[in-house]
Amino acid sequence: MPSGIVIIDKPAGWTSMDVCAKLRGILKERRVGHGGTLDPMATGVLPVFAGTATRAVEFAEKGDKEYIAGLRLGVVTNTQDSAGEVLEERTVSVGREELEAVLPRFTGPVEQVPPMFSAIKRNGKKLYELARKGQEVHRDPRPVTIHALEVLERSGPDRFLLRVRCSKGTYVRTLCHDIGQALGCGGCMDQLRRTMAAGFTLADAVTLEQVQERDGALLRPVDSLFGDCPAYHIPNPGQERLCRNGNPLSAPGLSPGRYRVYGQEGEFLCLSQWEKGQLRSVKNFFGG
């Protein structure tokens, strides 16, 4: 059965789960999951994992992400993006310099109040389910980190393109909303394209049509997710048996950190952590 990672350039109008469902049909593999949700209006990098590679989803979700976001000033919506119901419209007289002047407030460690239209659960109900019924509940601010935030261009009298590099859990539409509030005119996100996730970029991405044409041949091996970790090749069959049975490996002389561990025949076996002379498995990838 197919196993590996494919980086999809998600089309607008599709949910991330729509993409997974389509790939289940193409690959004929029920174990398919994605590494970080994109809203339906968003496009761009969506890492999708199939077969035993789904064990790596948790590592993809934790990484930083980068976006090109459209900020529309003067409009406030209930969803914080242009797909929602307009709550307020105001005149805009903000220039690029004024926008750039407030961006440092939103750079570095910051706190965000998650939007009501989100999949966060409260008492077993997703917030967007409550929001659709007209309900609003208290949400505690959550810490996130905005590593980079810059204006790329002014695309209209009230529109700007922003580049955002941020940590897991950041809501870019909330960022746009909050920037609009700081400028006193309100704002929302009117487009979003993810340009990087899990270390993969748009240069790595393919369309669903390309995957279908190639019948799954575009799957990358799961160890490509851990390319920044050094490789360790098990030196003998006895050590490989120990590894496959879940035992730590004696590996003196390595530097502390995570390693990609390979078997005698080059098979990627596990991601392991080295400390005190031993490699201990963090996640195994051998077996069906």
Side-chain angles (χ1 to χ4, degrees):
M1 299 300 288
S3 179
I5 306 169
V6 61
I7 314 305
I8 296 296
D9 187 346
K10 189 188 85 64
W14 288 58
T15 69
S16 299
M17 293 308 294
D18 288 339
V19 173
C20 290
K22 180 69 173 178
L23 287 170
R24 285 189 191 100
I26 293 172
L27 301 174
K28 297 178 175 55
E29 167 59 65
R30 63 178 180 79
R31 294 170 298 171
V32 175
H34 63 78
T37 302
L38 278 175
D39 288 342
M41 74 176 290
T43 65
V45 175
L46 181 69
V48 180
F49 299 74
T52 57
T54 53
R55 299 171 190 172
V57 166
E58 63 184 277
F59 301 98
E61 292 176 331
K62 293 174 183 175
D64 293 340
K65 298 171 176 64
E66 186 171 284
Y67 301 87
I68 303 299
L71 167 65
R72 182 181 180 188
L73 296 176
V75 176
V76 177
T77 74
N78 63 340
T79 59
Q80 301 180 345
D81 61 34
S82 57
E85 176 189 340
V86 175
L87 302 177
E88 297 177 40
E89 290 191 75
R90 302 178 194 167
T91 302
V92 178
S93 58
V94 174
R96 180 169 179 152
E97 289 185 3
E98 294 158 285
L99 172 57
E100 289 178 333
V102 304
L103 296 189
R105 300 189 210 173
F106 301 95
T107 306
V110 297
E111 290 196 331
Q112 280 191 335
V113 176
M116 275 300 300
F117 280 87
S118 65
I120 295 170
K121 288 188 176 181
R122 175 67 58 85
N123 298 325
K125 291 280 189 181
K126 292 179 179 178
L127 289 184
Y128 68 76
E129 294 174 336
L130 300 177
R132 286 171 180 167
K133 296 176 181 177
Q135 300 176 33
E136 182 158 351
V137 297
H138 174 77
R139 289 98 66 205
D140 291 325
R142 294 185 170 195
V144 297
T145 303
I146 310 294
H147 300 290
L149 179 59
E150 64 173 324
V151 180
L152 295 180
E153 64 178 73
R154 185 170 191 165
S155 52
D158 56 358
R159 288 174 166 84
F160 297 85
L161 282 182
L162 307 177
R163 181 180 75 90
V164 184
R165 190 180 181 104
C166 55
S167 66
K168 173 191 176 184
T170 302
Y171 286 94
V172 179
R173 53 196 162 99
T174 298
L175 175 64
C176 290
H177 171 87
D178 292 348
I179 289 172
Q181 294 298 104
L183 290 167
C185 60
C188 69
M189 184 184 77
D190 72 352
Q191 59 177 291
L192 187 67
R193 184 155 176 77
R194 188 154 68 190
T195 55
M196 189 276 290
F200 299 106
T201 68
L202 285 170
D204 303 307
V206 296
T207 64
L208 285 166
E209 291 77 14
Q210 287 173 309
V211 179
Q212 187 147 27
E213 288 168 7
R214 299 284 299 275
D215 196 27
L218 295 172
L219 285 173
R220 299 164 175 266
V222 66
D223 55 337
S224 64
L225 181 65
F226 309 113
D228 57 344
C229 300
Y232 177 82
H233 294 270
I234 295 177
N236 59 65
Q239 287 280 79
E240 181 166 343
R241 281 194 297 273
L242 285 173
C243 178
R244 288 180 179 275
N245 287 326
N247 297 299
L249 300 178
S250 176
L254 299 183
S255 299
R258 288 187 170 178
Y259 288 78
R260 291 173 286 128
V261 177
Y262 295 87
Q264 294 282 286
E265 297 183 5
E267 179 187 355
F268 176 54
L269 298 180
C270 57
L271 181 70
S272 294
Q273 182 77 29
W274 188 93
E275 55 184 29
K276 298 180 180 178
Q278 290 189 321
L279 281 168
R280 294 182 180 273
S281 175
V282 175
K283 181 70 72 171
N284 293 330
F285 292 96
F286 54 84

